[in-house]
Amino acid sequence: MDLYCNKGDVKELRLYLNQTQPLFIPVSLFTCESLTSLELGAENNVTLPKYISFPRLKRLKLQKFEFSDECWNDELFSNSTVLEELILDFCIFRMRNFCISIPTLKLLRIRCSEHVIDGLQDCALRINAPSLLTFAYWADVAKEYAMPSFLTLVEADVRFKLGKKGAQISLLLRALAHVKRLTFSDSTLQAICSAYDLSNNLLSFHNVKVLNVSDVLTTDQGLIALLKAVPNLELLVFNEYMNDEEEEDSDEDDSEGAQDDDPDSVEGENNHGNEDKGDVSDAVECDDESKYGNDEDDSWALSTVTTGCLFPHLKSVFFEQFVGNPRELKWVKLILKNAKALQMMNIRVYGDYFCFVIGKSEEELMAEIPSFPRASTGCVFRFCSLDGISVIH
């Protein structure tokens, strides 16, 4: 490998090490001037050389590397002066501080394994990347965050593994304030509930036009809080189905706590110290919903006036794995009753599970949903059925 790298003609290299003994990677690999893309994976402990320099490297991916205060130095990043993509997958962080300072960086992805305890929960993460465009963070909540707001950020994907540190979560959200496309997981939404309670004021993401919920939705409170923080949202995507099992957990909580996961629970979604009432100013902004009082689910829908108009600019909604359970139907109703600018609602039926859950045929559902009261009379419904046929209403 020494001779090959020193020839100066190696531009892209992928190397995965599955050794049984500690390994020291040759210095020649970490001083190769021709490399533009490097992917390194290691199953066991790998020692990095003291001196590292990649003058042409634009993409670096490290998988399953272990970083510690004893072996880590910042030269891996500081001497990569043109680095644009940095991917850290399933790495272990046994250290107090982990710093990434790369002025040229455009993409940063940090992904930790759910089964590794040595993640970032005991580490302070410091990032200085003024040119960052894409940021993906699939990891536990770090002990501390130190990062300025990413002014150039276009897309962010945040999926917390552990999310009970409200103050730290608020610091990370503040750095994402200028993002345009945002993806959050259900665990991140649950973490937002914690951060929202602690800070009493969730940061607004005024530039967000596209919002994705990446996995099975189990919390309504966090999503309500987030929707309030994206006032200019135009596209909302639910990538997976919604879990409708919150009633099974309600016996474990008191009567007040049981309401926290309801999208229309005043106590759960408002979090401004009001015990029994929502924000009156929000109620004034929405249309009178009393004309829908005959709907059997209106006790759920009527209380949405306390949430204010959540979707003032929403144009499109996608349900990518729709099973038709009560929770999903409640969200469909909430969106339709509040989204005055809605142009299209796309519903993709989720396999055979669909008919089992709702006890209705596809034809019945396709006829029922367009009949729900809605604020936008021009909304078009597009259903993708089990047999792959698209039906437009």
Side-chain angles (χ1 to χ4, degrees), residues 71-101:
C71 71
W72 173 248
N73 62 74
D74 293 335
E75 289 185 358
L76 179 60
F77 302 145
S78 61
N79 287 341
S80 302
T81 56
V82 296
L83 192 65
E84 295 182 355
E85 297 185 15
L86 176 61
I87 299 172
L88 304 176
D89 276 352
F90 311 120
C91 293
I92 296 174
F93 301 87
R94 293 193 176 106
M95 54 197 315
R96 294 181 295 273
N97 296 281
F98 188 75
C99 180
I100 299 173
S101 182

Side-chain angles (χ1 to χ4, degrees), residues 135-160:
F135 178 63
Y137 185 88
W138 304 359
D140 40 20
V141 179
K143 180 180 180 180
E144 179 185 341
Y145 293 103
M147 55 188 75
S149 183
F150 302 125
L151 300 179
T152 59
L153 196 62
V154 174
E155 185 172 5
D157 186 344
V158 179
R159 309 184 190 192
F160 288 126

Side-chain angles (χ1 to χ4, degrees), residues 39-158:
E39 295 187 14
L40 284 178
E43 280 294 339
N44 295 291
N45 186 32
V46 173
T47 302
L48 302 177
K50 291 296 183 181
Y51 180 76
I52 298 170
S53 178
F54 291 115
R56 291 182 175 85
L57 194 68
K58 291 189 175 182
R59 183 178 187 270
L60 176 62
K61 178 179 179 180
L62 298 179
Q63 183 174 348
K64 296 186 178 180
F65 270 73
E66 180 178 320
F67 301 105
S68 67
D69 289 325
E70 290 75 24
C71 71
W72 173 248
N73 62 74
D74 293 335
E75 289 185 358
L76 179 60
F77 302 145
S78 61
N79 287 341
S80 302
T81 56
V82 296
L83 192 65
E84 295 182 355
E85 297 185 15
L86 176 61
I87 299 172
L88 304 176
D89 276 352
F90 311 120
C91 293
I92 296 174
F93 301 87
R94 293 193 176 106
M95 54 197 315
R96 294 181 295 273
N97 296 281
F98 188 75
C99 180
I100 299 173
S101 182
I102 311 174
T104 57
L105 197 64
K106 295 181 179 179
L107 181 149
L108 173 61
R109 185 176 81 190
I110 301 175
R111 180 169 58 172
C112 293
S113 172
E114 296 181 359
H115 308 293
V116 175
I117 60 174
D118 295 304
L120 289 162
Q121 66 267 28
D122 295 321
C123 178
L125 179 61
R126 307 180 187 280
I127 300 176
N128 180 24
S131 302
L132 198 64
L133 299 177
T134 302
F135 178 63
Y137 185 88
W138 304 359
D140 40 20
V141 179
K143 180 180 180 180
E144 179 185 341
Y145 293 103
M147 55 188 75
S149 183
F150 302 125
L151 300 179
T152 59
L153 196 62
V154 174
E155 185 172 5
D157 186 344
V158 179

Side-chain angles (χ1 to χ4, degrees), residues 329-347:
L329 291 176
K330 288 175 181 179
W331 271 99
V332 168
K333 292 179 180 180
L334 174 65
I335 293 170
L336 290 176
K337 285 187 177 182
N338 286 276
K340 297 180 180 180
L342 192 64
Q343 299 175 2
M344 178 168 287
M345 178 171 285
N346 299 269
I347 297 177

